[in-house]
Amino acid sequence: MTADEIRAYLEPRRHEFADPRSLVMPALKYAQTTRGHLSREDLDAVAEATGFTPSFVESVASFYDRLYTQPVGNRVVSVCITLSCMLRGSDEVWDHLCEKEGIDHHHGGTSADGRITIQEAQCLGYCDKAPCIQVDADETLGPFTPDSAAALVDELRAAPDPEEYWR
Amino acid sequence: MADYAPVDLTAENLVSFELNGEKVQAPAGTMLVDACHALGVEVPIFCYEPRIGPPVGACRMCLVEVEGMRGLQTACSTPVQPDMVVRTTSELATQGQESVLELLLANHPLDCPVCDKGGECPLQDRTFRFGPGKSRFHESKRHFLKPVELSSRIALDRERCISCFRCVRFSQEVAQDGQLTMQERGGRSEIATFSGDAYEARFTGNIIDVCPVGALTSIPYRFVARPWDVTNTPSVCGLCPVGCNTELTLREGVVRRVSGRDEPNYAVEEGWLCDVGRWAYDSADHTGRLHRAVVRDANGARETNMADALSAATLVLQRADGPVGILLGPAATVEEAAIALDLAGGALRGAVVARLGIPAGPLAPLRATRRAEMGDIDDAQTVIVVGGDPSLQQPVVELRLRKAALRRGARIVTVGSRRTGLADVAEHVDAAPGALHAAISDIAARIAASAEPVVLWDEAELAAEPAAADALATAIAANGAARQIELGQDPNGAGLRALGIPATGLRDALAAGRLGALITVHADPRSAPGRDAWDAALGDVPVVSVATHVDATTDRATVVLPSLTLWEQEGTLVSMTGRAQRVRRGADGPDGAAPGWEILIALGHYLGAPPAYRTPGAAFAAAAKAHPGLGGLTYDDMGTLGAPLPPPAADHLAGDAGESVAAGSAGLALVAVRDVHAGRAAQGSEALLAFHAPAAARVSAATAERARLTDGATARISSPHGEATLPVRVAPGLPDDAVFVALGTPGAAPESLLGPDRGPVRVELRP
């Protein structure tokens, strides 16, 4: 993504942010929508559009779980592992999905075909639907059993990719 | 590492409080850590570094108990208040300190025996003094690939990092290069640059000094020595006239490291060094170092020992057809110069002594105005930089100006022909190259309108424009509260001037055939500005050269006496602000070489009229008696931090004026910059490989196009003084119709284009 595209996106939103630093986050989220992750060029473009150094922009991007500085799958599946979900069986959901996609149980990761990334999420605020799952930045869904979660992943794999990767 | 800010316990606004049961006093507003340190109570710290900026309280190491305040307080961010009751050694405080250390050590590897910092590591020291002795952590520590190269000069071991943020804050707030940041979060936090790029900037080495653990280490110093194998000697950097106070780390007679001092000189460098000053020490031994004396005769050159060469030199000087000339180089020490003057009054009666530099006459009124020291920039609300580019020529000045701009919102104004290294913090007043006079009324108005401005002025550019120099002097004097700092060219220019040594006279005497021989002391007139004129003046006059490295003058000298560098010999340098500071003996140097002062004293002995002293200290004492410019100082007065010399009178060296050559208006203006990054020390240093670049003539795109030159093409440049051939570099931010060259780069000769007495020059640029 180019600095001009990012500027065009930020311009109508600029008034919402009192501190120019706050623009870095929406700029990063938007810059991520073309590739699904932030390349060196994307970070450079965000730096140029916001007026901060590339190094600072990268430090912000590296802080947040949903901003990716390495390539991830076309769809990112976040499994909530905080207390309510854990008590309602998120461990089993997590293990089942990792097993199914052949992903490291400790850290999550991306399936071999590059389609699906499974990652842990802290409380998503859907304790009433525990254990819950959020796909990209879409609405959070639940409750899941290991099997229904696997069905969701199959459905995602079969579905066409979104036009923009909002994560 | 300075660690604690200096506290003046004799100040007037003292407040009383209780510290560990004793009634004590400290100035109001002082941070508790600093007050405790000044009062002899150690409060451990890691992240606190007063030179970097306000406290951040990141490491929590400085926890102390303050009666009436809930929990424990961080002493680094708690100011002293009247009647507060502080306990730094109570059970609660001790518990807090132990717990913090236990947490800091949770991920810190216990690899002290193989860590380069071991033995001089604040974390190690404070763990012994304040730590719990035992850790309850059984879990595995975090692991990273180690070490990674943060740059070609700095190694980063992320496992050892305790996330104190000192290096990041240095990069962001002191050097303001914006390159270092903390990436990731929590236990995965690591110091990093953008996408793992190399951390290349002008002041990167300071992060090694501020790192309180072994995370950041100097690659050239890695595994070279242990703290208990070395001796540390306070000295002064002799690469530029700022006169940064350094500490030389010596092992087995070799300088292995140069670093900022633990107790910095706040009047000069504040503990920060530029990368050239820090790493160029290895250039002392690079190719071309003179290891043995050389005597040249009809049969060619032969190497010999010092005694033999001194005899040969004596013969040359005794048989000289006329008086002798003694030419002192820009970094010749006060002692060497004083002994040269004594020779001229004794053994070599009638000798003409001069320095290789810019004539002082045109600048005499300006130098006589009220002088400031570098530390005074900290109090100024307005700083005006007239000409030059301190970032390249006197690098550490840049950090002072950045501090003034960022921390106190001081107004920085640069006046000159190009974007300087300060462009992001300074307001710029444009003046065409060689036309500062056009901006001088604007500058004068700004000086008049400011309360206590500090004016920094470039020696070379103002010497070329005497009218502008006079006008600037008038404006500074008119303000009453204004002070000035000279951005000088020569590491000891001020010291040589204090002895009354002019830059002019010697070459004319040579050219007129009045001199029978020439002694050069760390001077290479055949590579200096105006080298063609020097060459012509030299003719076939025999030369005795006291030099450290092979150069154009030693190549033709009849006798070459190998001398020691400023990392190896004793002496005194006077900084551009007039502070006399001692250079201490560091490395042993080559066996066949001797200190310059010793060679000159020996010459006196060989010539049959020895001076009355045998040591540099005694030579300085004699000089201080003989020359009022030295203000009667002694080595004791100078101590480790130096002492200011009395300011020169308005007519001091007023007659030291070169030929004034009108430059005319045809051709392009030549701007010659003494860039320390391009000089021999930096270019000859293996550690500073990142700065190695071939000499070039830098021009704007339009100028290159008009001369039908492209980037990288070879240009023939000619001036009334001579010719040079250099590759062209098209660079942004340069004015049109001007050519920028750096002086002192080995193998290049833009010096041919300049006149020996400097002054404005215009050149032709051809493919």
Side-chain angles (χ1 to χ4, degrees):
Chain A
M1 185 158 301
T2 66
D4 283 338
E5 286 172 89
I6 296 167
R7 269 194 213 101
Y9 172 78
L10 289 181
E11 212 39 59
R13 294 167 175 80
R14 202 171 279 272
H15 67 274
E16 295 171 25
F17 303 93
D19 183 343
R21 256 198 234 226
S22 312
L23 284 167
V24 175
M25 286 292 287
L28 283 167
K29 278 195 212 165
Y30 179 65
Q32 189 168 253
T33 56
T34 43
R35 264 178 264 247
H37 72 277
L38 294 156
S39 67
R40 186 188 160 103
E41 290 69 32
D42 293 328
L43 294 168
D44 258 330
V46 171
E48 196 188 325
T50 55
F52 293 94
T53 61
S55 185
F56 174 76
V57 168
E58 192 182 37
S59 78
V60 174
S62 70
F63 187 91
Y64 292 99
D65 275 349
R66 301 278 181 106
L67 292 168
Y68 304 94
T69 51
Q70 299 295 326
V72 285
N74 301 43
R75 305 308 299 266
V76 176
V77 177
S78 304
V79 180
C80 179
I81 53 145
T82 314
L83 193 62
S84 310
C85 286
M86 200 184 97
L87 292 172
R88 300 265 295 161
S90 66
D91 280 358
E92 288 74 28
V93 171
W94 171 260
D95 282 343
H96 187 68
L97 290 184
C98 288
E99 188 82 14
K100 174 174 163 358
E101 295 296 326
I103 292 168
D104 175 48
H105 284 244
H106 284 291
H107 303 103
T110 303
S111 61
D113 63 358
R115 298 281 303 162
I116 305 287
T117 291
I118 313 279
Q119 68 175 20
E120 292 177 348
Q122 301 304 327
C123 186
L124 294 166
Y126 275 66
C127 305
D128 58 324
K129 295 182 184 166
C132 66
I133 286 176
Q134 187 180 31
V135 178
D136 291 332
D138 298 343
E139 202 185 342
T140 305
L141 309 166
F144 282 96
T145 62
D147 287 338
S148 66
L152 172 75
V153 169
D154 286 339
E155 208 176 293
L156 289 171
R157 182 170 265 119
D161 284 343
E163 282 175 21
E164 290 186 333
Y165 297 105
W166 287 100
R167 286 172 166 166
Chain B
M1 179 172 21
D3 278 359
Y4 302 96
V7 174
D8 181 8
L9 292 177
T10 59
E12 282 176 7
N13 56 341
L14 294 183
V15 295
S16 300
F17 64 102
E18 193 185 309
L19 176 61
N20 294 342
E22 280 184 47
K23 282 271 173 234
V24 292
Q25 287 189 315
T30 315
M31 289 303 165
L32 255 180
V33 268
D34 297 331
C36 289
H37 178 69
L39 293 162
V41 173
E42 184 181 2
V43 177
I45 49 154
F46 291 115
C47 72
Y48 183 62
E49 170 50 278
R51 296 176 300 155
I52 295 179
V56 289
C59 73
R60 319 306 295 173
M61 188 63 243
C62 59
L63 294 177
V64 295
E65 192 183 347
V66 179
E67 210 162 84
M69 293 172 93
R70 219 178 117 243
L72 293 168
Q73 303 301 312
T74 49
C76 72
S77 53
T78 309
V80 168
Q81 281 158 23
D83 301 325
M84 75 198 300
V85 177
V86 183
R87 292 185 203 101
T88 70
T89 50
S90 64
E91 202 187 329
L92 193 63
T94 310
Q95 239 175 35
Q97 291 163 0
E98 280 188 1
S99 309
V100 169
L101 261 169
E102 190 176 13
L103 278 166
L104 288 176
L105 291 171
N107 267 317
H108 189 88
L110 289 177
D111 62 352
C112 304
V114 296
C115 174
D116 234 22
K117 196 87 169 184
E120 53 181 13
C121 174
L123 180 62
Q124 197 180 33
D125 294 348
R126 283 161 200 166
T127 299
F128 273 102
R129 251 172 292 164
F130 301 95
K134 258 190 179 167
S135 174
R136 289 169 292 172
F137 280 91
H138 298 292
E139 292 76 9
S140 63
K141 303 190 179 218
R142 63 178 188 164
H143 287 293
F144 284 112
L145 183 69
K146 65 191 265 179
V148 291
E149 288 191 6
L150 199 56
S151 74
S152 56
R153 309 185 285 284
I154 304 172
L156 166 63
D157 185 326
R158 291 165 292 179
E159 294 180 354
R160 295 182 189 145
C161 176
I162 57 165
S163 302
C164 73
F165 279 86
R166 274 182 173 186
C167 55
V168 172
R169 288 163 65 216
F170 175 83
S171 165
Q172 301 289 340
E173 292 168 36
V174 181
Q176 295 169 32
D177 53 50
Q179 292 190 39
L180 279 191
T181 45
M182 188 70 87
Q183 294 198 357
E184 287 284 350
R185 63 165 195 266
R188 289 200 303 268
S189 304
E190 57 174 299
I191 304 298
T193 51
F194 180 50
S195 292
D197 290 352
Y199 178 40
E200 290 295 353
R202 290 187 284 275
F203 304 100
T204 61
N206 294 301
I207 63 172
I208 300 170
D209 283 356
V210 297
C211 183
V213 298
L216 295 165
T217 47
S218 164
I219 290 178
Y221 184 65
R222 270 172 78 79
F223 309 127
V224 165
R226 282 303 200 175
W228 49 90
D229 290 335
V230 302
T231 46
N232 291 323
T233 304
S235 192
V236 171
C237 177
L239 295 176
C240 88
V242 173
C244 294
N245 291 211
T246 58
E247 188 166 84
L248 306 180
T249 298
L250 311 169
R251 180 169 192 238
E252 291 171 354
V254 181
V255 175
R256 295 301 196 174
R257 174 173 69 176
V258 174
S259 44
R261 291 197 196 155
D262 280 353
E263 297 294 333
N265 191 340
Y266 289 95
V268 186
E269 85 296 333
E270 212 185 3
W272 306 130
L273 301 183
C274 71
D275 282 4
V276 178
R278 181 180 301 272
W279 276 298
Y281 61 88
D282 67 349
S283 70
D285 292 324
H286 78 106
T287 350
R289 183 69 203 261
L290 289 163
H291 290 268
R292 300 204 64 201
V294 176
V295 174
R296 239 180 223 99
D297 55 24
N299 303 323
R302 66 181 165 88
E303 287 200 346
T304 181
N305 61 37
M306 185 67 89
D308 192 25
L310 279 166
S311 305
T314 308
L315 272 183
V316 167
L317 298 173
Q318 281 170 342
R319 289 180 186 170
D321 178 19
V324 172
I326 305 178
L327 184 63
L328 299 155
T333 61
V334 170
E335 287 78 358
E336 287 163 342
I339 299 168
L341 288 173
D342 285 349
L343 286 177
L348 297 169
R349 193 166 296 279
V352 180
V353 183
R355 66 191 159 86
L356 198 53
I358 297 175
L363 298 170
L366 187 48
R367 286 203 174 104
T369 53
R370 215 164 138 237
R371 210 164 56 183
E373 291 222 56
M374 292 262 289
D376 297 326
I377 294 175
D378 285 356
D379 305 320
Q381 281 308 312
T382 308
V383 183
I384 304 176
V385 185
V386 184
D389 186 349
S391 307
L392 302 179
Q393 307 191 80
Q394 302 89 5
V396 164
V397 173
E398 177 184 339
L399 297 185
R400 283 280 179 174
L401 296 179
R402 289 189 174 277
K403 179 181 172 190
L406 183 84
R407 271 200 243 160
R408 286 179 306 100
R411 200 147 153 243
I412 314 286
V413 181
T414 54
V415 184
S417 57
R418 59 201 185 277
R419 274 173 68 91
T420 65
L422 292 159
D424 56 320
V425 290
E427 185 184 327
H428 187 67
V429 176
D430 211 35
L436 284 174
H437 57 86
I440 209 81
S441 57
D442 183 3
I443 302 168
R446 284 169 191 269
I447 292 172
S450 311
E452 287 179 355
V454 173
V455 180
L456 280 64
W457 53 275
D458 184 70
E459 181 187 11
E461 290 194 29
L462 281 151
E465 293 188 56
D470 285 345
L472 188 60
T474 311
I476 292 169
N479 178 293
R483 284 173 296 177
Q484 51 87 15
I485 289 176
E486 170 181 352
L487 297 173
Q489 299 274 306
D490 305 329
N492 194 32
L496 301 180
R497 287 194 302 271
L499 295 173
I501 299 174
T504 54
L506 195 150
R507 190 178 42 81
D508 292 340
L510 265 178
R514 290 203 301 273
L515 300 184
L518 179 69
I519 303 174
T520 60
V521 183
H522 304 302
D524 179 15
R526 299 185 71 221
S527 306
R531 52 188 295 218
D532 295 12
W534 273 107
D535 242 353
L538 267 173
D540 53 4
V541 168
V543 174
V544 173
S545 185
V546 179
T548 57
H549 289 80
V550 172
D551 59 32
T553 303
T554 62
D555 277 348
R556 91 174 267 298
T558 311
V559 182
V560 179
L561 303 168
S563 152
L564 298 181
T565 65
L566 288 174
W567 289 287
E568 296 152 357
Q569 72 164 341
E570 293 244 353
T572 303
L573 296 179
V574 182
S575 78
M576 61 192 194
T577 58
R579 176 174 277 265
Q581 306 183 109
R582 282 184 63 190
V583 177
R584 310 293 172 113
R585 181 173 176 173
D588 293 342
D591 286 344
W597 56 265
E598 198 175 349
I599 293 174
L600 293 175
I601 292 178
L603 261 183
H605 281 270
Y606 274 71
L607 288 163
Y613 40 74
R614 286 171 167 272
T615 62
F620 186 87
K625 275 206 193 82
H627 302 280
L630 294 180
L633 283 186
T634 63
Y635 271 13
D636 282 350
D637 293 336
M638 280 188 265
T640 48
L641 296 179
L645 294 184
D651 58 352
H652 182 67
L653 284 171
D656 181 22
E659 296 165 47
S660 73
V661 187
S665 57
L668 314 171
L670 179 74
V671 183
V673 181
R674 206 199 65 91
D675 180 352
V676 292
H677 307 86
R680 180 158 80 180
Q683 296 291 314
S685 160
E686 273 177 42
L688 295 172
L689 211 61
F691 290 146
H692 288 202
R698 298 188 308 129
V699 294
S700 72
T703 308
E705 203 184 318
R706 243 171 282 155
R708 299 188 314 283
L709 285 162
T710 50
D711 190 76
T714 305
R716 284 188 300 140
I717 313 171
S718 57
S719 83
H721 303 286
E723 289 200 7
T725 307
L726 286 172
V728 163
R729 283 267 163 270
V730 173
L734 297 180
D736 292 340
D737 298 324
V739 179
F740 289 79
V741 293
L743 298 177
T745 310
E751 283 83 357
S752 285
L753 301 169
L754 295 166
D757 299 333
R758 306 296 187 89
V761 177
R762 296 191 88 87
V763 296
E764 295 285 337
L765 190 64
R766 267 180 259 105

